[in-house]
Amino acid sequence: EAKPAEIIALLGGPGSGKTTLMHLLPRFYDATSGKILIDNHNIQDVTLESLRANIGIVQQDVFLFTDTIEANIAYGAVDLSHEEIVNAAKIAQLHDYITTLPEGYDTWVGERGITLSGGQRQRLAIARTILLDPPILILDDSTSSVDTETELLIRQALRDVIKGRTTFVIANRLSTVKNADLIVVMSEGMIAQRGTHHELLQRTGPYREIYDLQL
């Protein structure tokens, strides 16, 4: 159970089922048993369009189009002003980089974003999510493949974005999840443990093992 505006972290090694579990929420997969409720509505009973309009996802592999940076940020949102796009880029810690480019927001992005670094692509995805303004956020290990400075920028961006939203954070690194309201530890497709950082540290189990290994 996730309460409104809570941060729920999913921790576990590669292949433990974190992303698969989260993909049930926007119905990329359908649950074969049980049910998922949002505000007491079964997600099977609402349209995919309305369900996904309320869920923002920042994935590890960000899909970008061969178009301008501005058009890529605005993708999925309608009737936006340039100022709204700029404001989203500022919150996502991307605006300063864009202003260094000769053509600014009109700079053309190569296919799949090859002209941008991994951190820049992820910050662009964060800006895109800000414009959609969803009440539910899924952040899929969005700092896993970036350097320390970029990780700090992404963390600053995410801190502003998650305020007031129910947020699910998928992570391999414990440093990402320590401050979550609830930590769910996944192992081999199952929930192995759940609790806060302090609660889980008091118990023997996979969380304590990850803590000792990483920190």
Side-chain angles (χ1 to χ4, degrees):
E1 182 179 348
K3 295 178 181 144
E6 272 193 337
I7 300 172
I8 311 295
L10 285 88
L11 184 70
S16 59
K18 307 182 298 295
T19 300
T20 302
L21 181 62
M22 282 296 93
H23 280 180
L24 293 172
L25 196 54
R27 290 185 61 192
F28 294 155
Y29 308 125
D30 274 330
T32 52
S33 63
K35 56 189 176 182
I36 299 170
L37 306 177
I38 299 177
D39 292 341
N40 292 321
H41 295 286
N42 190 325
I43 63 171
Q44 299 275 359
D45 297 336
V46 300
T47 64
L48 279 178
E49 183 180 6
S50 66
L51 175 67
R52 292 175 182 172
N54 285 281
I55 301 172
I57 305 176
V58 179
Q59 296 176 305
Q60 290 183 51
D61 186 19
V62 181
F63 191 90
L64 300 179
F65 299 93
T66 306
D67 207 330
T68 64
I69 287 179
E70 179 159 338
N72 269 287
I73 292 174
Y75 175 74
V78 292
D79 299 326
L80 294 172
S81 67
H82 176 71
E83 288 69 28
E84 288 174 301
I85 293 168
V86 169
N87 185 56
K90 285 179 178 176
I91 295 171
Q93 306 290 321
L94 189 63
H95 175 73
D96 289 348
Y97 164 72
I98 295 172
T99 56
T100 67
L101 301 171
E103 296 180 72
Y105 282 82
D106 292 325
T107 300
W108 208 253
V109 176
E111 188 173 351
R112 295 189 62 79
I114 56 171
T115 55
L116 301 177
S117 71
Q120 289 159 355
R121 287 198 298 272
Q122 289 186 327
R123 279 178 279 159
L124 192 150
I126 292 168
R128 189 185 274 174
T129 303
I130 291 165
L131 288 173
L132 292 174
D133 196 25
I136 299 171
L137 266 183
I138 298 172
L139 308 174
D140 192 351
D141 212 2
S142 50
T143 61
S144 62
S145 57
V146 297
D147 58 62
T148 307
E149 184 180 354
T150 302
E151 180 177 353
L152 181 62
L153 287 171
I154 292 174
R155 284 199 197 291
Q156 288 171 345
L158 292 177
R159 217 171 13 244
D160 292 328
V161 175
I162 65 178
K163 286 176 186 169
R165 306 180 204 273
T166 306
T167 305
F168 297 90
V169 182
I170 302 170
N172 292 311
R173 287 192 281 200
L174 196 137
S175 59
T176 311
V177 306
K178 282 197 304 181
N179 297 322
D181 297 297
L182 176 69
I183 299 169
V184 175
V185 185
M186 301 288 295
S187 178
E188 297 181 0
M190 305 288 285
I191 294 176
Q193 285 184 299
R194 72 180 85 195
T196 65
H197 171 70
H198 295 295
E199 288 170 349
L200 292 172
L201 273 189
Q202 305 307 313
R203 308 174 199 159
T204 56
Y207 189 84
R208 183 66 205 228
E209 291 168 13
I210 295 168
Y211 179 86
D212 291 339
L213 188 68
Q214 294 187 8
L215 300 178

